[in-house]
Structure formats: structure tokens, C-alpha cells
Amino acid sequence: MSLPFRRRHNDAEASHDRARSIIANGFLESTDPADDAWLETHLEGCADCSAELHGYAADRELLRGLRSTLPEPPRDLWARTAASIERDSGRRDRAGRASHAGPRIGRVPIGVLSGVLVVLVVVATSLFPPKGLTPIEPTAPGASDVAVVTPQPEVTPLPVTARLSWVEERSDGTFQLVFADVAEVCTSNPEACAPIEDTSTTHLILEDEPESVLLAPDSAQLVVVTKAAPSGGGGEVIIVPVTTPEPSLPPGETPVPTPVPTVTPDPTPTILPSATPTLGPGETPGLPTPTPPADGSVSILSGVVVVGEAAYSADGQWLAFSARPIDGTSGPDLYTWHVGAEPQATAVTSDHRTFFAGWLGNLILASRVETTVPEEPLASPDASASPGAAPATTAKPGRTPRPATTPSPAAPGGSAGPSASAGASPDVTAPPAEDHPISFLLDPATSPATVIDLAGQDIWRPVVNTTSRTIVYWSGTLVPDATGTGWELGTGQLVLDAWIDPAVDGTASPEPGATAGATATAGATTTAGTTATPRATPTLAPGTSLDPLASAVPTPPPGPAGSPVVLAEGLVSDFDVSFDPTGTRLAVWIRDPENAHVGTLRIVAIDPVTGAINPALDPLPAATALRGFSIDAGRLAWVTPPGQDGESSHVQVMAWTGDEFGQVRSVAADWLSVVR
Amino acid sequence: MFGSSEPGGFAVTNGALERPMVRIPMTGTWDRDTAGAFVETLFARHHGEIYAYLVRMLRDPELAADLTQDAFVKAYRAYDTLEKGENARAWLYQIAHRVALDDLRRRRIVRFLPFTGESKGSSPSAEHLAMDVRLSGPLERAMARIPERQRAALLLAEVHDLTGLELAAALGISHVAARALLTRARQSLREALADERAAEAAAEAERDATYAQGQESGR
């Protein structure tokens, strides 16, 4: 058999290539006798190829030496595999997709099943050892070993009290809200715990598939964000009243009563220009009129794509999120909805580059992309003084604007998004411009904004926990995304830093207007020894565009140095972080750049006193999870992607008591979304 | 559920190269009992080598165990795609290989950093930590340096003893491409081994020099 090789003009080189190829393949399988004869002749006159032959042979012997040190698989591997297969079968049965005609064998307890199978494994392995490999038996022969490999029942499941909820698709294609109480989790093998059982289910009537679901702090209503349908529907933010069962609380705990807001559905709610004061004429097309949903639910915004996650304020009186028009004509703006007091959500920015990050008590944390334009002075304080003024094209104070390809606004009052450069002569070979973000605190009721300063660093989408006094943010730049109206992460790192509360620590001057309803105000930290750059703290009057840099404000004095720790770096394309209420557990989800819906989830343990990470406590190093996890007191819940462990998705729960962690999961289903 | 096989459901035969092979008739439909019996036998035969392969590829025993489980569940779900007469062992390696590459791709993209207590910018990369801890010899370090597909080809051919045709099936490529890949892999390994040995020799020389210096100053 002739081996394929490309004949080159240099016949000598080609003959060496041929020799190498024959030598290499000769170790794999028998070669053509003609090739062998040719090689033998060639080797007589080619010392290099002879050395090659001996080198390959020596390397091969080294490699084959690995056979003697083959690692031994875990003894419970079959038990785990069998359990996964069992669940897979259950899912197939439920889905009615199994089309076999033969009689089914009933469900067998995993322990019994595994015991039987281990015996079979031992027998089969001893009967049919694989050739060429050191046989690896799951157990050494002997009855006692069989007993050992039988999956040990969880000796003492960890008792917890964790409540969670999720939305799942019913067999008829509609959706239902499921509440479940988790009483115990298994510390070593999550599959040893019985699947989570539903406490109650509520049928949800939704016309479109939910993108994300959020439960209000009082559990009286859901916020359902529906997916934008290709046909043009969807893209709504819907408030759905729900009735929740009483949670099973441990003795001594009493639920905190919270007022139930009443939402009066407007039969024909519309978004009037006055309701979105920052959307001036000639800007993005008007959003479609929401259609009144059924069952007492109300659409507070439609025709949008919600960017990031929506969240309620600490007192449950405000809902905030960022959203962009569904037609992609502009970037995101910040929206708020005063629970029960407004018929629909209201845009509070019009710059099309503001992203909701979260809440700090009852103050909104948001981030805005600051585009830079070369040779242009910093924004004048008047830049956004009037309604409908052109979005400020600003540079961050203290930073020299870089020569940038970032476009200027397309038109007065128009989008400042990356696509605004249309009509210019873009240099297609130039690397994408890197924009810098700022972050600020905003009181939704009175609209004063305060810029967060961490020694002049780029801060994007900060999340703060005042209990552990820590802040997580993207310390880096942003680059325009493929849509031309949005941004994605550029160069930087996701970091955890110290959060210095000026109200408590006295290191900064709190902004007077930013104190309403929040324990922590105007949090600003600067690194000790650095010179604080004058910060601007604008106020946002209704109907005006937000420009946090528009007016001069008192400068927060330098505070204690933070010591940022890198949580993730590399090709981080998106992230989602959230603290538990104690601030001692931080959930970090990093998106897979190639799949916007999937990412890797990790729990970070934080010392509540020092704010430092406890590296010894790493209970969830990297779990694959769909976007949209939920972390609350004593538990983290997420949805596994289809295909994990050979199953459809299931809700996976990690719960903890002190420093003890365990897991449990729901039964698998084809479509699940954990309620945040 | 998996305790017995239906008569005629599948048969265990030996292949031409005296490798134990599992053959099943192509049914065209998925059957739970047959799938269970099939995967049970497959597991009994091959779980050790599949696990070993994944450990070598991923250099993480815990992860390898998870992915071994994943591979067998995938085999269970997809047993009806195995063509009649196809080598089940190579087919299983193909599943494991894809599972491994998927994971390696994901790990390249998402990299959480270890929490060492160090401040920003001073943390060693997770990859380096893993290398330091788990790879002791020049061979393993060299294997870790070569491209994943080449590493897979070498492992499958030399450690797991797959033939050329089996290698091609496991890697999901043609026989010719598999041989070419293996040739490149051997060359890459040679170069990587040479680098590792040179680095090791340099480190040893440095240690010797330091020791000699210490001895000299002690006199």
C-alpha cells in the first residue's frame, strides 16, 4: 500500500518526508512491503531518518510505559452512571418518546441495581479483559469488595431549609410555576438524595416562552420577561400575580409579612411620549403598545429585549432593568417601574448605553458606556441640561481621551451606540474601539446620581454587598458588539474588591440626594495614597437625559485601599454575579462565548469580617449552568443544560449550613427556568 | 433494568484483531432494554480504559470520572446509531473523545482563577498550577504541550492500542487523515520531549551550580 505524500520539487526532502511517514505508520499498522523495501534502502543512506526511526521507537516505548500506570476509576462510577441512565429512562418515559414495544423492566432501587450490576461488571471484566491494556477492574475479586462498591447511602444528609421556585414547560406546551422546599441535601453524592418534590404548582398562561422569571420579595408577583419571537411577538415584561404556599420554616422562624402590591391592569395600556420622557422625537422608534395579558397579569413594557437581569429594590417597591428596542435600532436604557403605582415601566435614560447592574438597598446601581472622541473637550456641564439634549459623548474625568474610532452620535438626540458611525468611513482593518465605562448610584424616586469611583478604575456592572462590604465588577473596557448598538466586554478582569461605605466608614462624603432608603450611600473607595480625581455627581430630573459627569460635585476623600482579587479573566464575554443575603457566598457565572445561554457557575466563600476569599472553601469550582441562577439564604439554584449527565435539564440546588455543603436536584425536564 | 440481555439483542464477538468487540444489530429504533443491556456490557468491558483515556486527556481524575459517566450515558442514548458491524469500542472512544474535546474547549474559554489570597495580577494561572501539581515527568509535560487532537491520537494508538481504522473511527476522521495526524503527533512529541529534557537538564545544571557554590562558600 502506498502512503499518501505530497511530492515536492525537492525530491530529497520529499523522500525524507516519505521515510518519516512510513516509519511513523509502521508503528501503527503493517505497511506495504514495497514501502518497507524503499525505507530500508533509504535508511542505509540517511542518518537523520535512521535517528528518526530510533527516536520514534524510544518515544513509543515511553508512551507504552503509561499502560502500566493506568489510573483506577472511582468505585462508584457504575452506580453514578446507572443512576444517570435511570433518570434518562424516566425522562424518556415521561416525554413519551420511547417507542419500543418490548416489556419494560420496572424501576429498581439504585442500591439494589448497582449491587447487581457491580457483580456483573466484575464477572464481565474478568471474562473479557481488553487486550493491550492492563485490565482495570472496578473492584478486586471478592464478595467484600462487591459490598464496598455498592453505592453507599448518604449516611447523614445535611438538613437545610431552602425554598426555591422554577418555571417548567408542561406537556401541553404551556408553563407552570413550581414551588419546592428542600429539607436536606447530600454532601457527597447528590444523586443519593431523592429528587426535589414540588410543593405546589401554578399554571402560567404565557403567550411566549419566558426568557427569565423573577419573584418579587413578597412572593406576590412574578416578573416574566418573554423572548422576542422571530415573528415579531414577545419581548414583553409582564407582571403576573401569584399565590404562593406557606413555606415550611424551621421552628422559631416566622415569615416576615410584606405588603402585597396591587396591580390594576390597564385594559389598553399605552406608552405615551410623556411616559418615556427621555425618548425624544426622531430617536428610536416608538415601542409597540402592550397587549393586555390574561389572568390579571399586566404587561409593563413590550417590544423590547431586556439586557441583563431585572431586580427589585430591597423594599420591593421598585423594579429596575435595562432594555433595548426589539428592532435593535438602539442600545439599552435604564427602566424603572414603581410597583403598583405606575401602569408601566418608564425609561429614565435616553443615551442608549446605560445598563442596569443591581440594587444597593433602594438605590439603583447602573453602568454607562463612555464613548470617547479624539480632540474633543470633555463634556460641558450643559451637555445634558435640557430634555432631549444630545447624549453626552464624554471621556472619563482624569483620563485622556484616546484616539478612538468610536463614533460620535449620529444625530442630536440619537443613539450613541457603536452603529452611530454609519455614514463615516470606518476603517475595517482597525481593531474595535475600546470604550470605558462608568458606574453610578441612582435614586429611582428622586433621580440623583452619584458616580462610583475606585481610584479611577473602569467599573462595569458593579454588584455590592454591604454586609461583607465587597464589590464585584468588571475592571476593564468594553467593545462594540456585532449588533452595532450594544457592547461586550473588552480587555479586563472580573474582580472582587473592598467596598467602603462612606456613611459607615466616614471615608467619603455621601451624596445628600442619594440617601433615601439605603443604608449604604454613595459608596466610593479610592486607593490610599492616590489623588482623588474630581468626580461629578449629577442629578437627574425627570425628563432629562442622565449625564453623571455633567456637574461638579464634592470629591470623596481617599479611603482605605482595596485589594482586588481576580475572579475570572481571559475571554470573558459576559458574567452574572450575585451575593447571598449574608454576603458570605458569592455566585459567579461566566458565559461561554460560543453559547450565550450556557456558562460556568462557581461559589466563592467570603469571610464576613475581612471580606477576603476563603480559598479552602470551594464547594462548587465549576458547574455548567444555563444563564439565570438564583441565590438566596442558604442555597444556590441553577438549571443544568440539556445533555449534562445525559439528561435533559434539571434544577440543581447547592445548599449549605455553615461550611457544610450538599446538593440535590429536581427530576429532569425538557424546559426549565429557575426563578430568581 | 440492565441485568439481562434479550436473546438476539446483541452478541459479543471477537474482531479480526482479537479485540473484544460488541456488535449489535442495527434496529433503527431505540429500545430501552436493549440499550440498557448494551451499555452495561460496554461499561463492563471498557469503562476502565475510557476513564484512563479521559484522565490522560484532561489531567483531572474527578472530571474524567464525570465525563466517563457522561460518555456511557450518551452511548445509552445513542446506541441505535451504531451501525451494524461497527466497532463498538472505537465508537465508544469516539464519544469519549468528543466529550473530552468539548470540555477542553469550554475550559479554554472560561477560566476561573484560583484564589490564593494574592491580589490582582499576581495570581498564577490555573493551568500552570495544574501543570505543576499533576505533571511530574517530562513525558507527561510534553504530552500536555502538544495539540489536543495529536495527544488523543498518540494516547489512543500507543496506550490504548487502537488500530489505524479504530483510531480513525474514534477521532471521527478518515483513515488517511488519522495516520497523517499520528505522524504529526509523533513529531510534535519528539520536539516537546526534547524541549522538556533540555529544560530539565538546565534546571539540574543550575541546581548543581548552586550546590557547588554553596559548598565552595562553606569551605
Side-chain angles (χ1 to χ4, degrees):
Chain A
M1 181 173 60
S2 296
L3 291 170
F5 68 96
R6 185 171 297 161
R7 184 169 295 281
R8 302 177 186 175
H9 293 298
N10 184 339
D11 286 343
E13 191 178 337
S15 66
H16 294 317
D17 286 348
R18 183 184 178 190
R20 269 195 291 272
S21 180
I22 296 170
I23 292 167
N25 289 313
F27 290 118
L28 179 67
E29 54 199 3
S30 58
T31 51
D32 191 300
D35 285 334
D36 290 342
W38 179 89
L39 178 64
E40 194 171 337
T41 307
H42 179 85
L43 290 178
E44 285 172 3
C46 181
D48 287 347
C49 292
S50 292
E52 200 88 352
L53 171 63
H54 292 113
Y56 282 166
D59 294 349
R60 187 175 190 237
E61 285 310 304
L62 264 180
L63 276 171
R64 294 170 83 86
L66 295 177
R67 297 178 177 202
S68 61
T69 57
L70 288 177
E72 188 174 342
R75 293 183 167 220
D76 66 346
L77 188 54
W78 173 250
R80 291 156 56 177
T81 306
S84 285
I85 290 173
E86 184 83 359
R87 284 196 304 276
D88 189 79
S89 296
R91 185 190 61 77
R92 281 171 177 265
D93 289 346
R94 281 195 302 278
R97 289 203 296 250
S99 57
H100 57 286
R104 295 184 181 184
I105 300 173
R107 294 172 72 91
V108 181
I110 293 299
V112 176
L113 172 70
S114 302
V116 171
L117 292 177
V118 162
V119 173
L120 289 170
V121 167
V122 172
V123 170
T125 306
S126 61
L127 285 175
F128 309 105
K131 292 285 179 66
L133 284 169
T134 303
I136 300 172
E137 298 176 355
T139 62
S144 59
D145 292 322
V146 172
V148 168
V149 298
T150 301
Q152 296 296 312
E154 188 78 11
V155 178
T156 310
L158 181 66
V160 295
T161 304
R163 169 158 255 231
L164 68 150
S165 52
W166 67 84
V167 173
E168 64 185 21
E169 189 175 15
R170 293 160 37 130
S171 56
D172 61 1
T174 61
F175 299 91
Q176 65 183 11
L177 173 67
V178 177
F179 285 95
D181 294 317
V182 179
E184 62 182 26
V185 291
C186 292
T187 53
S188 58
N189 179 10
E191 293 163 13
C193 274
I196 305 168
E197 291 187 5
D198 304 350
T199 305
S200 73
T201 58
T202 304
H203 191 190
L204 293 176
I205 299 176
L206 300 170
E207 292 184 1
D208 301 289
E209 184 178 317
E211 176 85 48
S212 65
V213 187
L214 168 70
L215 187 64
D218 59 10
S219 302
Q221 60 189 23
L222 280 181
V223 180
V224 179
V225 177
T226 61
K227 281 184 179 171
S231 58
E236 280 192 286
V237 182
I238 302 169
I239 308 298
V240 181
V242 293
T243 304
T244 58
E246 285 298 316
S248 51
L249 294 173
E253 283 192 34
T254 53
V256 180
T258 50
V260 179
T262 55
V263 179
T264 307
D266 184 342
T268 54
T270 53
I271 297 180
L272 301 173
S274 59
T276 52
T278 57
L279 293 175
E283 285 195 304
T284 55
L287 300 175
T289 301
T291 53
D295 286 358
S297 58
V298 58
S299 170
I300 61 168
L301 194 63
S302 63
V304 296
V305 174
V306 171
V307 179
E309 303 290 344
Y312 280 93
S313 59
D315 62 7
Q317 294 301 303
W318 289 88
L319 176 73
F321 54 91
S322 45
R324 62 172 174 79
I326 202 169
D327 59 10
T329 50
S330 69
D333 280 302
L334 181 65
Y335 286 79
T336 60
W337 180 61
H338 198 175
V339 176
E342 295 175 344
Q344 57 201 60
T346 303
V348 293
T349 66
S350 64
D351 52 32
H352 311 318
R353 50 199 168 100
T354 300
F355 293 70
F356 173 68
W359 288 91
L360 179 58
N362 295 319
L363 295 177
I364 293 172
L365 273 165
S367 296
R368 195 178 80 170
V369 181
E370 295 296 288
T371 57
T372 56
V373 174
E375 299 177 4
E376 188 170 302
L378 297 183
S380 131
D382 297 325
S384 61
S386 61
T393 302
T394 58
K396 203 171 179 183
R399 177 181 287 118
T400 305
R402 289 184 268 176
T405 55
T406 307
S408 56
S415 168
S419 66
S421 62
S425 303
D427 179 1
V428 294
T429 62
E434 290 202 351
D435 294 323
H436 294 271
I438 63 163
S439 293
F440 55 91
L441 283 162
L442 179 71
D443 186 326
T446 59
S447 299
T450 303
V451 174
I452 298 171
D453 177 25
L454 284 169
Q457 291 188 54
D458 290 322
I459 301 173
W460 178 247
R461 288 174 47 202
V463 175
V464 174
N465 184 274
T466 53
T467 306
S468 59
R469 298 159 80 184
T470 45
I471 178 173
V472 179
Y473 59 94
W474 174 253
S475 174
T477 59
L478 303 163
V479 293
D481 70 6
T483 68
T485 57
W487 285 264
E488 55 191 28
L489 303 181
T491 307
Q493 298 162 315
L494 184 67
V495 299
L496 176 80
D497 204 346
W499 171 258
I500 308 302
D501 184 347
V504 176
D505 301 281
T507 55
S509 305
E511 172 59 25
T515 56
T519 314
T521 62
T525 63
T526 53
T527 304
T530 59
T531 304
T533 307
R535 293 290 120 189
T537 307
T539 58
L540 179 66
T544 62
S545 121
L546 172 73
D547 182 3
L549 306 176
S551 60
V553 291
T555 302
S563 180
V565 174
V566 181
L567 296 174
E569 65 179 7
L571 293 174
V572 179
S573 56
D574 196 5
F575 64 88
D576 186 7
V577 294
S578 189
F579 289 92
D580 77 334
T582 69
T584 59
R585 304 283 182 262
L586 170 68
V588 182
W589 180 88
I590 304 289
R591 202 201 97 174
D592 180 333
E594 295 182 14
N595 185 345
H597 304 290
V598 180
T600 308
L601 184 63
R602 181 178 203 177
I603 287 183
V604 178
I606 297 173
D607 186 305
V609 177
T610 65
I613 291 176
N614 180 358
L617 206 56
D618 196 10
L620 191 69
T624 305
L626 293 183
R627 177 187 289 276
F629 62 84
S630 167
I631 186 168
D632 207 339
R635 60 95 175 141
L636 170 68
W638 68 94
V639 175
T640 61
Q644 286 293 299
D645 300 335
E647 295 198 333
S648 293
S649 293
H650 54 241
V651 176
Q652 186 87 23
V653 178
M654 170 164 274
W656 53 86
T657 299
D659 288 348
E660 285 190 285
F661 293 79
Q663 291 194 45
V664 68
R665 60 176 55 160
S666 71
V667 295
D670 286 336
W671 191 96
L672 289 165
S673 177
V674 70
V675 175
R676 294 171 72 94
Chain B
M1 174 178 167
F2 309 131
S4 62
S5 59
E6 296 291 327
F10 65 92
V12 177
T13 63
N14 284 341
L17 298 169
E18 297 187 342
R19 291 173 201 285
M21 293 173 64
V22 181
R23 293 184 190 277
I24 61 168
M26 186 170 57
T27 62
T29 56
W30 190 90
D31 175 80
R32 172 177 168 161
D33 297 338
T34 310
F38 169 67
V39 82
E40 175 199 333
T41 304
L42 211 58
F43 186 94
R45 293 280 191 78
H46 303 302
H47 80 283
E49 57 179 314
I50 293 295
Y51 171 76
Y53 169 65
L54 290 171
V55 169
R56 297 281 186 221
M57 282 297 289
L58 304 166
R59 306 191 300 278
D60 183 335
E62 289 290 325
L63 183 61
D66 288 346
L67 296 189
T68 303
Q69 173 186 330
D70 199 20
F72 279 100
V73 175
K74 285 181 191 300
Y76 169 78
R77 299 177 79 173
Y79 91 97
D80 55 340
T81 65
L82 184 63
E83 296 290 334
K84 185 177 183 180
E86 191 177 347
N87 184 333
R89 180 171 178 250
W91 175 77
L92 184 60
Y93 268 111
Q94 184 182 42
I95 294 174
H97 177 66
R98 287 177 177 168
V99 165
L101 288 192
D102 282 350
D103 185 82
L104 287 166
R105 180 188 61 81
R106 187 178 304 283
R107 282 198 292 167
R108 263 200 308 274
I109 293 166
V110 179
R111 193 175 74 182
F112 284 111
L113 295 187
F115 306 127
T116 59
E118 309 262 354
S119 291
K120 177 181 174 180
S122 60
S123 299
S125 76
E127 208 167 334
H128 274 100
L129 286 181
M131 292 274 288
D132 291 346
V133 170
R134 296 189 178 123
L135 304 181
S136 52
L139 175 63
E140 289 191 312
R141 288 198 299 274
M143 286 289 279
R145 287 176 49 172
I146 67 176
E148 285 140 9
R149 280 160 48 82
Q150 293 185 16
R151 184 159 79 235
L154 281 171
L155 286 172
L156 292 173
E158 297 300 353
V159 182
H160 296 263
D161 213 23
L162 265 60
T163 66
L165 287 172
E166 289 172 333
L167 179 65
L171 298 175
I173 56 180
S174 70
H175 187 196
V176 171
R179 291 197 310 190
L181 177 65
L182 189 58
T183 300
R184 289 198 301 276
R186 291 190 196 282
Q187 190 61 32
S188 297
L189 180 64
R190 278 205 79 188
E191 292 166 4
L193 264 174
D195 289 348
E196 287 297 329
R197 286 167 177 151
E200 200 169 66
E204 196 168 340
E206 193 177 330
R207 279 196 302 272
D208 290 347
T210 306
Y211 177 76
Q213 207 168 22
Q215 293 287 93
E216 192 70 29
S217 60
R219 286 178 185 169

